[in-house]
Amino acid sequence: MLRFSLAMRMHSPHVEMLRQLGHATGGRPEGDHDAWVRIADDIATDTQHIQKNIEAWAEQKQDTLPVFSHDYIYASHNTSAVPVAFLYANPAASPAEFRTFHNALTTLAKAGQVVYVLRYYLAWDLYDQVMNLQGYGVDLAIKNLEYKAMDDQVKEKPQGEDADDDEETVAVEGDDEVQGFKFNVLKERHPALKTSLHSFRQFLSEQNQDFDQLKVWDLKNLGVQASQRILAASDPLRAMRDISQSFPTLASSLTRIKLNQTLVAQITDNQNALSSDTTFLINGRAIDPRSYSIYRLLSILKEEVQRVERLQTMYLPSHEAARIASASLPPVPSIRFNITGRTGAIQFMNDLEKEPQYGRWPRTLMDFARRGYPGQMKFVAKNVFTVVTVLDPSQPGALGIMATVENVIRQNAPLRFGFVFVTDDEDTSSDEVNMGRAIAKTIAYLLKHHTSRAALMLMGVMNYQMQGAEATLTMDTFAQAYEMVASNMDKPLKDLDEVLSSKEFDSVLKAANQFAFERGLSKGSLPLGFLNGKLVDQKKDFMEGVVEAYFEQVPGLQTLIVNHAISDSESVYEFLMAPPKQWEEMVGQIAPKFSPYIIPTEAQPLKYIPLVSHKDELSRLAFFESNRDAVKSVTHIIAVNPEDPEHLEFLHSVLERVEKKEEEHARWAVLINPGPDAEIDHSGIVALLAGTPTAPVAFVRQVLDKASATGACDENGACKGVPITLEEVFTLATAESAKVKQSAYTSEKIQGALASHRRLCRDLFKLQPGEGAVVSNGRLVFRTHGEAAGDVHPMSTLSPSDMTFLGHYQAQRVSVALPLLNEAALLGLDPDDITSATRSNIVMGVASLLGQDEVSSVVRKSLPANAVPSVVLPPTNAEGEAVEPLLDVVLVVDPLSKAAQKLSPLLMALRRVVPVTVTLYINPVLSLSDLPLKNFYHLVLQEELEFTQAGQLTAGPSAMLSGLPPARVLTLAMETPEAWLVQPIIAKYDLDNIKLEDLPASEKIMTAVFRLEHILVEGSCNDITANPTPPRGLELELAPVTPTPDIPTQDTLVMSNLGYYQLKANPGIWRLRIATGRGTRLFTMQNAQVDQIAEGQAEEYRWVAVTSFLGEWLLLNVVRRPGMEKEQLLLSDEESKTAGGGGGDPGLWDSFSNLWGGDTGIPAPPSKARVANETIHIFSVASGHLYERFLKIMMLSVLKNTNNPVKFWFLKNFLSPQFKDFIPVMASEYGFDFELVTYKWPHWLRGQTEKQRLIWGYKILFLDVLFPLNVRRVIFVDADQVVRSDMMELVNMDLQGASLGYTPFCSDKPEMDGFKFWRQGYWKDHLHGKPYHISALYVIDLARFRRQAAGDQLRASYDMLSRDPNSLANLDQDLPNYLQHQVRIFSLPQEWLWCETWCSEESKTRAKTIDLCNNPLTKTPKLENAVRIIPEWTSLDEEAKALERKIATKTETGHDDENAPHQHEHTQTQQDTHTNTNNNAKEDL
């Protein structure tokens, strides 16, 4: 694994970060030092000065350097009370000096005097070293040539001829077998004929390239035929790789394979058991094959190998460890809570048995018990399923749940819903009415005196009000919601003030609060949902969790009904809450009380401690158990302060349970965790609890009775228990005839045990001295001291019933692994030493390890037992000998899929790196009607570093694809890890239109070099002042720790979607801050560092360390400054101040009103005059040399028709190196500004695989975050457009309150009516008379666009609609047209976009822009149309070509243009600098 990591350059970003960090914190001190220690601002160059610096720190107690999560920390307990000592050293440069400092600091850390942090210091620079990376894929897709999109210009001069002379390539050999010839065998046998064999192989391959000649009947069985070829090969993974990655050229030969009907039958049987999706499991751990990266996968592999190795330390053999590592703890056990009682506490919103909307459904329980279609709910008019949700209606997210319930009831789901509204006890805490009580009272009033429809409508309206990113529910908005409900009711409602002041429903609120209290449902653990008493999974969306729980419970209820346990006259819900005794086992355990400490919630999440690392110390603890001969599935460890009477009393109750044998499946150990000033050297309690073997439980309880009495108290009222000496214990034991072995309680043994207890409490469980805790099978269930200062809970918080519940809960959780562990053979132990205690220790360690999955949200799966593997590849060493596996990999895959292209070479490499069993399930599509793969692919992956004969590292791997069809037009795409921003830096030819037969005869290889320019820092930002909401439009900056002109500050805007933000970075240390301006006036950062930059001025920031090729994800919380709680972040311009009747933008409230038929009816006034010399901002996208040629012409046409300054914005992602070199010179020549913006498609937004659709997405989905806040209006212009008018007209045009302005399609060309899909079917119905607009030109009012959250609505609708691959055929055009009922479009005058396809010739004279639209009738190439349709196009083209020739001449003569290009470095989102920053070694791909 280490070699693989090094070959992947896995640690290079971390090394670069450490180098920067060392320099940023002062660098090497004066003198010849290779190691030094820094405490705050004091540096020690020898060990004698460390103690002096500790004493100096004690006077100020302020650390000036941050500690990062990636730091190597020794003894990290109690960090606030001691200084942090940073050791900067390079152990390899001076091992003796390092060892001296290291020994001194470890001694101080063990003594609790410092927190020791080791940082490697690298003195050398890595600026100019360029390395080839790997872990990416190269995709060459066969291009659709329905419309010709290739430039007819001939490239005469190569570019960057010397850039890759020394690059080495790794050739892809292609399929081992071509038309029956096995070329790898032939080359081994006849090495002298290698050249001839290669030519013959190429000839045969070319015979296979007529794949488009295949008939439908040839395609049908291709999936099975490919599977046969793979399974017949000696190396199935290699065969799968070769076939999938070069499929178009192999398809023809595969069709000639005779079908194996036995294989067809096996595949059919498997498909009845397996999902059609690709399944990729590593030790049962599910990996998403669509979104994984090699770097992420390498991290997972390390985690899984470590997991198996830890299990091996528990005496488990390798194959047993791998088997158990694939297991997972089951989900939350099937425990039912008694969610009944107290009349009025539960307010039911519907009743399936009484309400008329369910009247036509069957009315008997036997109807429910009848079999139906899988996955279909049972529509029976009985309250079979009851969902009770306990929540505080004023809490964040509560309105969303309430609105979801309203929507589900409206859709007639067969579920009864009820709410328990937990509120503050009184309204009198402030002058303002408590919002939670107001909502609860009003809903209670509507349910009693009106209908549930009124209550449900109120929920829906309130939630709709909260859809704005900065919306808050106030009494004013609540009153508006109430009035809207009142206006839609037949019966008049009481005045809201009368409802809220009435005492009629105080008893309902009181009953709800008492109900929650009695069941342990504290406000901090809410909201919680229960379906028939069973907790709904909180990690899932509310209704997703409800539906999942519904189908889990259906079989059990059907069994009860069939067995006549429940009759039609009984309430199903009441039966389940209190079943008759004979049905208790079938119904399941009923817990009377919910414990947030036992059942994990968002407020009390799971925390598992890996006990395996301290297994030897833990095995030496004294365990109290009722039956020492049985293996215990649960081990509870109780940490207590022996001087705290309350702790001892709790321990007494625990031992009482042991004595009564209430939990024979459990055992108990006690950890002594005395306070900092404890006097326990002669404590008999300590001796009894720490000594082994344990004393009789009854005797220990008797001693605890005496010790838990209240003893001496200090001035603060803190009391200790009654001290009992060891001698007193022995005396009492003699008097009571208790069997206490005095030789087990010598001073030496007790002191050794106590030291071990203290270490475990401090280093393993991270407890403060004197703190109590309960740990169960490694899960930290409870601790007396919370994270916040003063947050202290008594041990009695866990009641006896909680402890009973905990035991059963943990026993059920470990039930999956227990049989495996009991069957496992143990290595390294004498059979006589294997006792029940040994296996109990193993169960404890394994349970703690398996619990880590749940903490990290790891999902493990297993395939159905009836699925038959296609092939199993056992692990072997380099000599081909069988070895024990460390990992078990399962792959279910269609061999003709993109997943097969990526995963087959990955698994080949993995088998060479680590002992792994690969179980392959071939799962092809049985009947194809089209080619499943129309691309060629290569994954760049090399398991080990390669060296030259001189011992130097080679340049590294690269991709080389051979055997490509020379006559086909291909388009290249890079598939890189999500956090990478990659750009081509050398590409002589058009990467969007690759046609190999057009290469000059002297060139046999077409080369492109890409560079990794940035690694992303991403995250989620929330305003947590009240309800956590994303601060949409907040401007963030990412600044290098050492600012220089060469390392620019990056900036971005926060989206409303998830509060997402994205910033460009590179490996190193950065500062994340709110950009100076309105954002800093309104907000302050939570948990921020603060630097005083001037008197009265401070800078707030968060440290960001980029240490991985995976990038960084940071959760950022901001809080509004006092007095700014109601201020809007995004200010409106003149239009938004007056639109909608003087109240700002037409908001969500107006939209909701319009759903009920309302209309404001107030026209927007005309816009005010603009500044005369205002800059025109033009945005465009181009990919491929032809469209870049069009783009130059479009730019010239814009410039020639205006006197205003122009700034062009281009998406850098798709531009060629030639264009990026050309544009600065053109900007200098013509005097315009430009910026290249880059933005990586967010991982959470459904992606596109086809390049054209990806470009369409970039055109429309990120408009709100691509441009800085100071740009108020942008005009998008297609690259293939020619402008004939001053674009300033569009800048000044009144959009009448809309944020977007588009031109409708022309309607004056009757011969094209058959292609106007928007005039019929779905689009006609959806548009409701609104026009369908063309997306070749549009105006964006950015201020209004952001204020209306238009970008967020576009992204949300896109994500929903794109789930259907047949929707959004023209993504950039269909999406805004589909949404124009919510995101209004102003229709620009028709003359603003003319194209020959849709517009009449008569209207051309009025055209202000002409677009080269594709014509579905003629399909004429755009170049032909351009010359024919646009008279000025040829002259503009010649002008652009003349500038290209001028640049080429200057390049040849070496005379550069003296004028600086007009590319600005002002604040903007994701701007490109055109400068190779020297803070990071650039990586080429």
Side-chain angles (χ1 to χ4, degrees), residues 201-219:
R201 183 184 183 283
Q202 186 173 354
F203 168 77
L204 292 177
S205 297
E206 290 174 358
Q207 306 307 307
N208 290 330
Q209 292 177 3
D210 295 330
F211 51 86
D212 53 355
Q213 303 301 316
L214 294 174
K215 307 300 181 185
V216 174
W217 50 87
D218 294 323
L219 298 174

PDB file of all heavy atoms in Angstrom, residues 201-219:
ATOM      1  N   ARG A 201      -1.926  -6.649 -36.580  1.00  0.00           N
ATOM      2  CA  ARG A 201      -2.962  -6.410 -35.567  1.00  0.00           C
ATOM      3  C   ARG A 201      -3.756  -5.148 -35.904  1.00  0.00           C
ATOM      4  O   ARG A 201      -4.980  -5.098 -35.765  1.00  0.00           O
ATOM      5  CB  ARG A 201      -2.320  -6.271 -34.184  1.00  0.00           C
ATOM      6  CG  ARG A 201      -3.306  -6.101 -33.049  1.00  0.00           C
ATOM      7  CD  ARG A 201      -2.560  -5.865 -31.749  1.00  0.00           C
ATOM      8  NE  ARG A 201      -3.479  -5.761 -30.643  1.00  0.00           N
ATOM      9  CZ  ARG A 201      -4.216  -4.662 -30.384  1.00  0.00           C
ATOM     10  NH1 ARG A 201      -4.107  -3.605 -31.168  1.00  0.00           N
ATOM     11  NH2 ARG A 201      -5.066  -4.653 -29.371  1.00  0.00           N
ATOM     12  N   GLN A 202      -3.023  -4.090 -36.338  1.00  0.00           N
ATOM     13  CA  GLN A 202      -3.704  -2.839 -36.694  1.00  0.00           C
ATOM     14  C   GLN A 202      -4.625  -3.051 -37.895  1.00  0.00           C
ATOM     15  O   GLN A 202      -5.748  -2.528 -37.939  1.00  0.00           O
ATOM     16  CB  GLN A 202      -2.660  -1.754 -36.993  1.00  0.00           C
ATOM     17  CG  GLN A 202      -3.268  -0.379 -37.239  1.00  0.00           C
ATOM     18  CD  GLN A 202      -2.203   0.695 -37.366  1.00  0.00           C
ATOM     19  OE1 GLN A 202      -1.022   0.427 -37.160  1.00  0.00           O
ATOM     20  NE2 GLN A 202      -2.619   1.889 -37.709  1.00  0.00           N
ATOM     21  N   PHE A 203      -4.176  -3.874 -38.854  1.00  0.00           N
ATOM     22  CA  PHE A 203      -5.003  -4.168 -40.027  1.00  0.00           C
ATOM     23  C   PHE A 203      -6.292  -4.870 -39.610  1.00  0.00           C
ATOM     24  O   PHE A 203      -7.387  -4.522 -40.055  1.00  0.00           O
ATOM     25  CB  PHE A 203      -4.212  -5.027 -41.012  1.00  0.00           C
ATOM     26  CG  PHE A 203      -5.063  -5.620 -42.106  1.00  0.00           C
ATOM     27  CD1 PHE A 203      -5.485  -4.843 -43.183  1.00  0.00           C
ATOM     28  CD2 PHE A 203      -5.460  -6.953 -42.059  1.00  0.00           C
ATOM     29  CE1 PHE A 203      -6.281  -5.389 -44.176  1.00  0.00           C
ATOM     30  CE2 PHE A 203      -6.265  -7.498 -43.057  1.00  0.00           C
ATOM     31  CZ  PHE A 203      -6.671  -6.714 -44.123  1.00  0.00           C
ATOM     32  N   LEU A 204      -6.147  -5.880 -38.736  1.00  0.00           N
ATOM     33  CA  LEU A 204      -7.336  -6.603 -38.287  1.00  0.00           C
ATOM     34  C   LEU A 204      -8.273  -5.698 -37.496  1.00  0.00           C
ATOM     35  O   LEU A 204      -9.500  -5.801 -37.613  1.00  0.00           O
ATOM     36  CB  LEU A 204      -6.919  -7.803 -37.427  1.00  0.00           C
ATOM     37  CG  LEU A 204      -6.195  -8.953 -38.146  1.00  0.00           C
ATOM     38  CD1 LEU A 204      -5.792 -10.025 -37.151  1.00  0.00           C
ATOM     39  CD2 LEU A 204      -7.072  -9.550 -39.241  1.00  0.00           C
ATOM     40  N   SER A 205      -7.687  -4.819 -36.681  1.00  0.00           N
ATOM     41  CA  SER A 205      -8.512  -3.900 -35.877  1.00  0.00           C
ATOM     42  C   SER A 205      -9.327  -2.989 -36.770  1.00  0.00           C
ATOM     43  O   SER A 205     -10.496  -2.690 -36.497  1.00  0.00           O
ATOM     44  CB  SER A 205      -7.638  -3.077 -34.943  1.00  0.00           C
ATOM     45  OG  SER A 205      -6.982  -3.901 -34.012  1.00  0.00           O
ATOM     46  N   GLU A 206      -8.711  -2.522 -37.856  1.00  0.00           N
ATOM     47  CA  GLU A 206      -9.420  -1.613 -38.759  1.00  0.00           C
ATOM     48  C   GLU A 206     -10.583  -2.309 -39.452  1.00  0.00           C
ATOM     49  O   GLU A 206     -11.558  -1.665 -39.833  1.00  0.00           O
ATOM     50  CB  GLU A 206      -8.442  -1.035 -39.780  1.00  0.00           C
ATOM     51  CG  GLU A 206      -7.456  -0.041 -39.150  1.00  0.00           C
ATOM     52  CD  GLU A 206      -6.392   0.420 -40.127  1.00  0.00           C
ATOM     53  OE1 GLU A 206      -6.400  -0.070 -41.281  1.00  0.00           O
ATOM     54  OE2 GLU A 206      -5.552   1.255 -39.740  1.00  0.00           O
ATOM     55  N   GLN A 207     -10.472  -3.639 -39.591  1.00  0.00           N
ATOM     56  CA  GLN A 207     -11.591  -4.376 -40.190  1.00  0.00           C
ATOM     57  C   GLN A 207     -12.799  -4.393 -39.266  1.00  0.00           C
ATOM     58  O   GLN A 207     -13.918  -4.638 -39.689  1.00  0.00           O
ATOM     59  CB  GLN A 207     -11.169  -5.820 -40.492  1.00  0.00           C
ATOM     60  CG  GLN A 207      -9.915  -5.955 -41.331  1.00  0.00           C
ATOM     61  CD  GLN A 207      -9.991  -5.151 -42.618  1.00  0.00           C
ATOM     62  OE1 GLN A 207     -10.937  -5.294 -43.382  1.00  0.00           O
ATOM     63  NE2 GLN A 207      -9.012  -4.286 -42.859  1.00  0.00           N
ATOM     64  N   ASN A 208     -12.550  -4.141 -37.974  1.00  0.00           N
ATOM     65  CA  ASN A 208     -13.633  -4.197 -36.981  1.00  0.00           C
ATOM     66  C   ASN A 208     -14.275  -2.838 -36.735  1.00  0.00           C
ATOM     67  O   ASN A 208     -15.108  -2.705 -35.857  1.00  0.00           O
ATOM     68  CB  ASN A 208     -13.094  -4.711 -35.638  1.00  0.00           C
ATOM     69  CG  ASN A 208     -12.728  -6.182 -35.709  1.00  0.00           C
ATOM     70  OD1 ASN A 208     -13.307  -6.928 -36.459  1.00  0.00           O
ATOM     71  ND2 ASN A 208     -11.741  -6.574 -34.912  1.00  0.00           N
ATOM     72  N   GLN A 209     -13.865  -1.811 -37.472  1.00  0.00           N
ATOM     73  CA  GLN A 209     -14.282  -0.463 -37.114  1.00  0.00           C
ATOM     74  C   GLN A 209     -15.583  -0.024 -37.779  1.00  0.00           C
ATOM     75  O   GLN A 209     -16.020   1.100 -37.575  1.00  0.00           O
ATOM     76  CB  GLN A 209     -13.155   0.526 -37.428  1.00  0.00           C
ATOM     77  CG  GLN A 209     -11.956   0.310 -36.499  1.00  0.00           C
ATOM     78  CD  GLN A 209     -10.785   1.210 -36.817  1.00  0.00           C
ATOM     79  OE1 GLN A 209     -10.864   2.044 -37.704  1.00  0.00           O
ATOM     80  NE2 GLN A 209      -9.695   1.051 -36.082  1.00  0.00           N
ATOM     81  N   ASP A 210     -16.181  -0.878 -38.558  1.00  0.00           N
ATOM     82  CA  ASP A 210     -17.449  -0.521 -39.186  1.00  0.00           C
ATOM     83  C   ASP A 210     -18.605  -0.884 -38.262  1.00  0.00           C
ATOM     84  O   ASP A 210     -19.544  -1.587 -38.646  1.00  0.00           O
ATOM     85  CB  ASP A 210     -17.590  -1.250 -40.538  1.00  0.00           C
ATOM     86  CG  ASP A 210     -16.548  -0.794 -41.539  1.00  0.00           C
ATOM     87  OD1 ASP A 210     -16.135   0.374 -41.444  1.00  0.00           O
ATOM     88  OD2 ASP A 210     -16.141  -1.603 -42.382  1.00  0.00           O
ATOM     89  N   PHE A 211     -18.544  -0.383 -37.028  1.00  0.00           N
ATOM     90  CA  PHE A 211     -19.570  -0.762 -36.048  1.00  0.00           C
ATOM     91  C   PHE A 211     -20.931  -0.160 -36.372  1.00  0.00           C
ATOM     92  O   PHE A 211     -21.951  -0.674 -35.948  1.00  0.00           O
ATOM     93  CB  PHE A 211     -19.140  -0.360 -34.635  1.00  0.00           C
ATOM     94  CG  PHE A 211     -18.708   1.068 -34.516  1.00  0.00           C
ATOM     95  CD1 PHE A 211     -19.622   2.072 -34.289  1.00  0.00           C
ATOM     96  CD2 PHE A 211     -17.366   1.415 -34.645  1.00  0.00           C
ATOM     97  CE1 PHE A 211     -19.231   3.381 -34.175  1.00  0.00           C
ATOM     98  CE2 PHE A 211     -16.971   2.727 -34.528  1.00  0.00           C
ATOM     99  CZ  PHE A 211     -17.894   3.724 -34.303  1.00  0.00           C
ATOM    100  N   ASP A 212     -20.930   0.952 -37.121  1.00  0.00           N
ATOM    101  CA  ASP A 212     -22.228   1.552 -37.433  1.00  0.00           C
ATOM    102  C   ASP A 212     -22.968   0.781 -38.527  1.00  0.00           C
ATOM    103  O   ASP A 212     -24.108   1.086 -38.847  1.00  0.00           O
ATOM    104  CB  ASP A 212     -22.063   3.015 -37.831  1.00  0.00           C
ATOM    105  CG  ASP A 212     -21.047   3.193 -38.960  1.00  0.00           C
ATOM    106  OD1 ASP A 212     -20.416   2.188 -39.347  1.00  0.00           O
ATOM    107  OD2 ASP A 212     -20.894   4.327 -39.433  1.00  0.00           O
ATOM    108  N   GLN A 213     -22.286  -0.230 -39.095  1.00  0.00           N
ATOM    109  CA  GLN A 213     -22.947  -1.070 -40.085  1.00  0.00           C
ATOM    110  C   GLN A 213     -23.696  -2.228 -39.451  1.00  0.00           C
ATOM    111  O   GLN A 213     -24.379  -2.992 -40.122  1.00  0.00           O
ATOM    112  CB  GLN A 213     -21.899  -1.623 -41.070  1.00  0.00           C
ATOM    113  CG  GLN A 213     -21.089  -0.557 -41.785  1.00  0.00           C
ATOM    114  CD  GLN A 213     -21.960   0.399 -42.585  1.00  0.00           C
ATOM    115  OE1 GLN A 213     -22.875  -0.038 -43.283  1.00  0.00           O
ATOM    116  NE2 GLN A 213     -21.678   1.696 -42.491  1.00  0.00           N
ATOM    117  N   LEU A 214     -23.537  -2.393 -38.131  1.00  0.00           N
ATOM    118  CA  LEU A 214     -24.201  -3.495 -37.441  1.00  0.00           C
ATOM    119  C   LEU A 214     -25.712  -3.283 -37.442  1.00  0.00           C
ATOM    120  O   LEU A 214     -26.196  -2.171 -37.233  1.00  0.00           O
ATOM    121  CB  LEU A 214     -23.698  -3.613 -36.010  1.00  0.00           C
ATOM    122  CG  LEU A 214     -22.219  -4.009 -35.841  1.00  0.00           C
ATOM    123  CD1 LEU A 214     -21.833  -3.950 -34.367  1.00  0.00           C
ATOM    124  CD2 LEU A 214     -21.975  -5.402 -36.403  1.00  0.00           C
ATOM    125  N   LYS A 215     -26.444  -4.368 -37.665  1.00  0.00           N
ATOM    126  CA  LYS A 215     -27.898  -4.315 -37.654  1.00  0.00           C
ATOM    127  C   LYS A 215     -28.414  -4.477 -36.226  1.00  0.00           C
ATOM    128  O   LYS A 215     -27.684  -4.907 -35.329  1.00  0.00           O
ATOM    129  CB  LYS A 215     -28.476  -5.417 -38.540  1.00  0.00           C
ATOM    130  CG  LYS A 215     -27.909  -5.433 -39.952  1.00  0.00           C
ATOM    131  CD  LYS A 215     -28.171  -4.126 -40.693  1.00  0.00           C
ATOM    132  CE  LYS A 215     -27.628  -4.172 -42.115  1.00  0.00           C
ATOM    133  NZ  LYS A 215     -27.767  -2.859 -42.808  1.00  0.00           N
ATOM    134  N   VAL A 216     -29.684  -4.167 -36.042  1.00  0.00           N
ATOM    135  CA  VAL A 216     -30.285  -4.266 -34.713  1.00  0.00           C
ATOM    136  C   VAL A 216     -30.189  -5.683 -34.190  1.00  0.00           C
ATOM    137  O   VAL A 216     -29.901  -5.913 -33.003  1.00  0.00           O
ATOM    138  CB  VAL A 216     -31.757  -3.790 -34.745  1.00  0.00           C
ATOM    139  CG1 VAL A 216     -32.426  -4.025 -33.394  1.00  0.00           C
ATOM    140  CG2 VAL A 216     -31.837  -2.323 -35.118  1.00  0.00           C
ATOM    141  N   TRP A 217     -30.403  -6.672 -35.064  1.00  0.00           N
ATOM    142  CA  TRP A 217     -30.335  -8.052 -34.611  1.00  0.00           C
ATOM    143  C   TRP A 217     -28.900  -8.484 -34.260  1.00  0.00           C
ATOM    144  O   TRP A 217     -28.695  -9.398 -33.484  1.00  0.00           O
ATOM    145  CB  TRP A 217     -30.944  -8.995 -35.645  1.00  0.00           C
ATOM    146  CG  TRP A 217     -30.420  -8.789 -37.052  1.00  0.00           C
ATOM    147  CD1 TRP A 217     -29.317  -9.347 -37.610  1.00  0.00           C
ATOM    148  CD2 TRP A 217     -31.010  -7.958 -38.053  1.00  0.00           C
ATOM    149  NE1 TRP A 217     -29.166  -8.925 -38.899  1.00  0.00           N
ATOM    150  CE2 TRP A 217     -30.203  -8.073 -39.213  1.00  0.00           C
ATOM    151  CE3 TRP A 217     -32.166  -7.142 -38.104  1.00  0.00           C
ATOM    152  CZ2 TRP A 217     -30.505  -7.398 -40.401  1.00  0.00           C
ATOM    153  CZ3 TRP A 217     -32.443  -6.482 -39.268  1.00  0.00           C
ATOM    154  CH2 TRP A 217     -31.624  -6.602 -40.403  1.00  0.00           C
ATOM    155  N   ASP A 218     -27.900  -7.773 -34.835  1.00  0.00           N
ATOM    156  CA  ASP A 218     -26.511  -8.046 -34.441  1.00  0.00           C
ATOM    157  C   ASP A 218     -26.226  -7.529 -33.033  1.00  0.00           C
ATOM    158  O   ASP A 218     -25.426  -8.114 -32.302  1.00  0.00           O
ATOM    159  CB  ASP A 218     -25.537  -7.382 -35.421  1.00  0.00           C
ATOM    160  CG  ASP A 218     -25.616  -7.979 -36.812  1.00  0.00           C
ATOM    161  OD1 ASP A 218     -25.806  -9.206 -36.909  1.00  0.00           O
ATOM    162  OD2 ASP A 218     -25.491  -7.229 -37.801  1.00  0.00           O
ATOM    163  N   LEU A 219     -26.886  -6.436 -32.686  1.00  0.00           N
ATOM    164  CA  LEU A 219     -26.606  -5.784 -31.401  1.00  0.00           C
ATOM    165  C   LEU A 219     -27.248  -6.509 -30.233  1.00  0.00           C
ATOM    166  O   LEU A 219     -26.771  -6.425 -29.100  1.00  0.00           O
ATOM    167  CB  LEU A 219     -27.116  -4.337 -31.426  1.00  0.00           C
ATOM    168  CG  LEU A 219     -26.492  -3.392 -32.450  1.00  0.00           C
ATOM    169  CD1 LEU A 219     -27.218  -2.055 -32.437  1.00  0.00           C
ATOM    170  CD2 LEU A 219     -25.016  -3.181 -32.141  1.00  0.00           C
TER     171      LEU A 219
END
